[in-house]
Amino acid sequence: MSKQVVLAGFHAVNSRVRTRPESVRIVYVDPARRDKRMHECREKIEKAGVKVVQADARRLDGLAPDIPHQGIVALADEIDVSMTFDELMDSITPETFLLILDGVTDPRNFGACLRTADAAGVQAVVVPKDRSASYSPAAAKAAAGAMETVPVVTVTNLAGAIVELRDAGVYVVGTAGEAEKSIYDFDQKRAFAWVLGAEGEGLRQLTRRRCDELAKIPMQGSVESLNVSVAAGICLFETARQRRA
């Protein structure tokens, strides 16, 4: 029997119903929500042939604790799009585009990074086995379906994985506020990977030393750093822009 996962909130539930309705076992909705958004969502779910059951807020809170579920929670089969590091290495081409996350442990930030990676056309996201978020209802909600489209490659030694990627022809650039070069100073139309660390801590020293180069996001205001998912969006879409050009 397939392992089941909890999907909470309109984005997470609607995305799964739209892409893989057969994998959704049941959707619970709060009968107290009678607004247009809920009405339209229920129509789509029922049209897809998915069972909808009413459940009060207390039951929904129990299914998805500490998550703003918006009155809708689904139980669905887990969709595994993970990739091994060996499979990733075998799939590298001059068009390879990767995101590497170092120490991003907040599930909401992790999910938001996956969502951004999906939108930018990233081939895979590489994370360390330790000091990294993984699947959770909170991450799935933030990812808005991207956890089921973007392969996540988990490695035991992130610094070693970066070295292997470089040896395979991937140009690896890490982000650091004190770097001399800007994220706009690199040719990103080759096999390319961005490495981002958690807000505050940034990249670990060993990770920094394994990158080809470091780059900063030019900041003109008074803030010193950006949320990692925001930084990922800026970096990834610069690569996407260059490749479209």
Side-chain angles (χ1 to χ4, degrees), residues 182-195:
S182 156
I183 64 169
Y184 307 114
D185 293 336
F186 300 91
D187 174 12
Q188 299 164 37
K189 296 187 289 293
R190 50 186 162 176
F192 196 87
W194 284 109
V195 191

Side-chain angles (χ1 to χ4, degrees), residues 11 98 110 115:
H11 281 303
L98 305 174
F110 178 67
R115 185 176 184 176

Side-chain angles (χ1 to χ4, degrees), residues 45-119:
I45 294 169
E46 291 170 348
K47 187 176 180 180
V50 178
K51 183 178 181 182
V52 178
V53 174
Q54 293 188 351
D56 59 25
R58 179 178 295 182
R59 186 174 186 188
L60 295 176
D61 290 343
L63 289 168
D66 303 319
I67 301 172
H69 51 67
Q70 303 170 296
I72 184 166
V73 175
L75 298 181
D77 294 338
E78 182 179 45
I79 297 176
D80 185 10
V81 295
S82 62
M83 177 188 293
T84 68
F85 187 67
D86 286 342
E87 289 172 336
L88 175 61
M89 293 295 290
D90 289 341
S91 66
I92 290 174
T93 70
E95 288 75 41
T96 288
F97 182 19
L98 305 174
L99 172 62
I100 302 172
L101 299 176
D102 181 22
V104 177
T105 57
D106 184 282
R108 292 172 178 82
N109 281 338
F110 178 67
C113 285
L114 290 179
R115 185 176 184 176
T116 302
D118 177 86

Side-chain angles (χ1 to χ4, degrees), residues 117-219:
D118 177 86
V122 166
Q123 177 182 341
V125 175
V126 181
V127 300
K129 181 179 179 181
D130 301 318
R131 297 184 73 253
S132 174
S134 57
Y135 181 89
S136 70
K141 185 176 188 298
M147 295 199 82
E148 296 149 13
T149 58
V150 180
V152 175
V153 180
T154 303
V155 297
T156 303
N157 184 333
L158 188 64
I162 291 173
V163 172
E164 290 192 50
L165 288 169
R166 289 176 57 190
D167 290 344
V170 180
Y171 198 76
V172 181
V173 177
T175 55
E178 71 279 7
E180 294 184 3
K181 289 187 176 182
S182 156
I183 64 169
Y184 307 114
D185 293 336
F186 300 91
D187 174 12
Q188 299 164 37
K189 296 187 289 293
R190 50 186 162 176
F192 196 87
W194 284 109
V195 191
L196 282 79
E199 183 180 1
E201 296 180 10
L203 299 179
R204 290 176 291 179
Q205 288 300 319
L206 185 57
T207 304
R208 290 171 179 244
R209 292 198 295 269
R210 294 296 184 267
C211 295
D212 284 296
E213 294 200 65
L214 297 176
K216 64 183 177 183
I217 297 174
M219 308 278 284

